[in-house]
Amino acid sequence: MKKSLIALAVPTFCLGIAEFGMMGFLDDVARGLGIGVVEAGRLISAYSLGVAVGAPGLIVLRRWPMRRLLLLLTALMCVGNACAAFSPSFLALLCSRFLSGLPHGAFFGAGAIVAERIAPEGRKAMAVAVMVAGMTVANVVGVPLATFLANVLSWRMAFAVVALGSLLAFLGIKAWVPRLDPLPDTGIKGQFAFLREPGPWLIYAGVFFGQASVYCWLSYISPVMTEVAGFPQSAMTGIMVVVGLGMVVGNALSGKLADRYPAALVTGVTAASLLLVMPAVYFLAPFKVPSVVLAFIAPGCLFAVGGPLQYLIVRYAKGGEMLGGAGIQIAFNVSNAVSASLGGVAIHMGLGLASPALVGVPFAAIGASALFLLYRKYPVTGA
């Protein structure tokens, strides 16, 4: 594997911890700052807001050489998480979380372009999958590590580890990612011109609805596994490792398939498979072994949909490639927030802790329909 691709995967590994790690030690932060858990939950929202605000900022930096842009984004990751580690108050930590979220979507947007440009023909989708793999590996290794450090030492150590990893990422990009010319400058209007076509909107719909179909349930996996399947709380660390492994396998497998077959078809078939997977998650929730198997399969489908679409948007967003790629992360984060809320509504309606899995079924249908329509009506050469 090229060192340059590893250099692109290390930052996404750090971003994965920064985004998902907070969920594992939110209680520790709340206790450390003397605030309630609900108030501490705003720290997760602050990061998502940073993602949404930072992604369009690529328009301002569109003339920068690609490697310099990646170095700036990793430097922001380092500074934001270092500030979080040393935050003296809740307000300071809130601002630090917003700052650390700013480079998230922008890095995926720029990184996908770099990965595609440095990869040989026939390996471009896989190259982007390698970059995205950093985030999937973070869910297997990084998030449990951050949770462990927060529980045993201090929640500040979790952010310090991300800051250190971001520094290593900065050095790796500087050493291994080649110098690449900036993308052709199409002007401010040209950056948004791709949105006039239906293809990118269908991709964003595939991301939003395809991810939401799984996240409706995944957001509540802990109570489902402990209160419905009957696992002890201590088993959740192992279960979350299974979830992370599913993400790794799903991302890698879909990346390989998207280099052999049209990426829209690969993701459409994956989203359609969730029409069977999510009902199975619901009906088999009381049984331990099937629940664990599906905890591997469903998150695998989650990243099998998202990974190739991060590559595919670059092909459809001519003139606004970085903005298009960053938009995937915006759709992903908004999808997470919406699906978690809708899953919670189903639970509050008394439909049961496992009911969010059924809420995800219509989302899977909409996502699959959008991607099949993309494949049939709006193909891109080589996509």
Side-chain angles (χ1 to χ4, degrees), residues 22-43:
M22 174 66 75
M23 300 173 189
F25 56 87
L26 196 64
D27 288 345
D28 298 279
V29 175
R31 284 192 297 269
L33 295 177
I35 59 177
V37 174
V38 174
E39 188 176 8
R42 296 176 186 171
L43 297 168

Side-chain angles (χ1 to χ4, degrees), residues 2-367:
K2 286 187 174 183
K3 291 181 179 179
S4 53
L5 291 179
I6 296 175
L8 294 175
V10 173
T12 64
F13 175 82
C14 296
L15 291 170
I17 301 175
E19 181 173 19
F20 297 111
M22 174 66 75
M23 300 173 189
F25 56 87
L26 196 64
D27 288 345
D28 298 279
V29 175
R31 284 192 297 269
L33 295 177
I35 59 177
V37 174
V38 174
E39 188 176 8
R42 296 176 186 171
L43 297 168
I44 298 175
S45 300
Y47 187 92
S48 296
L49 180 61
V51 176
V53 172
L58 285 172
I59 298 173
V60 180
L61 305 174
R62 66 187 185 278
R63 298 176 183 174
W64 279 37
M66 300 301 294
R67 190 177 74 152
R68 185 193 300 177
L69 177 59
L70 293 179
L71 289 172
L72 171 65
L73 295 173
T74 50
L76 274 175
M77 290 164 50
C78 182
V79 171
N81 284 283
C83 288
F86 291 100
S87 293
S89 66
F90 171 70
L91 180 59
L93 183 55
L94 194 71
C95 294
S96 298
R97 286 289 289 170
F98 175 80
L99 177 62
S100 59
L102 287 175
H104 184 114
F107 187 90
F108 275 92
I113 296 169
V114 172
E116 187 193 31
R117 290 176 69 177
I118 63 179
E121 288 297 329
R123 299 282 295 170
K124 294 184 180 296
M126 190 61 200
V128 176
V130 170
M131 181 199 74
V132 175
M135 178 167 279
T136 65
V137 174
N139 282 280
V140 180
V141 179
V143 171
L145 174 62
T147 302
F148 174 79
L149 291 174
N151 292 339
V152 175
L153 299 176
S154 167
W155 59 266
R156 297 181 185 277
M157 287 298 299
F159 291 117
V161 167
V162 179
L164 178 59
S166 300
L167 177 59
L168 295 175
F170 179 93
L171 297 175
I173 289 173
K174 190 171 184 180
W176 292 335
V177 173
R179 296 178 184 272
L180 298 170
D181 294 331
L183 294 171
D185 185 13
T186 58
I188 298 294
K189 289 184 178 179
Q191 294 290 306
F192 292 93
F194 73 94
L195 293 174
R196 297 171 187 163
E197 302 297 326
W201 291 107
L202 290 172
I203 292 175
Y204 290 143
V207 172
F208 183 92
F209 291 105
Q211 308 279 314
S213 64
V214 178
Y215 260 98
C216 284
W217 157 78
L218 190 59
S219 300
Y220 301 95
I221 187 173
S222 181
V224 170
M225 288 296 182
T226 55
E227 297 183 40
V228 181
F231 284 101
Q233 186 64 43
S234 59
M236 281 309 302
T237 299
I239 291 172
M240 292 311 294
V241 170
V242 172
V243 169
L245 288 173
M247 293 177 178
V248 171
V249 173
N251 177 67
L253 182 59
S254 66
K256 289 185 181 235
L257 290 173
D259 276 325
R260 296 185 60 185
Y261 306 101
L265 178 61
V266 171
T267 53
V269 170
T270 304
S273 71
L274 289 168
L275 295 172
L276 299 176
V277 172
M278 299 317 296
V281 169
Y282 173 77
F283 288 110
L284 297 176
F287 306 100
K288 286 187 171 64
V289 173
S291 292
V292 172
V293 172
L294 289 166
F296 176 88
I297 294 173
C301 292
L302 177 79
F303 270 82
V305 171
L309 294 182
Q310 185 78 58
Y311 151 77
L312 192 59
I313 191 64
V314 176
R315 314 294 292 274
Y316 280 81
K318 295 303 180 185
E321 290 89 347
M322 286 194 293
L323 185 61
I328 293 285
Q329 294 302 309
I330 296 177
F332 181 80
N333 277 270
V334 174
S335 174
N336 293 354
V338 171
S339 58
S341 297
L342 292 176
V345 169
I347 294 173
H348 288 306
M349 288 176 63
L351 300 178
L353 288 172
S355 62
L358 292 182
V359 176
V361 174
F363 286 137
I366 297 172

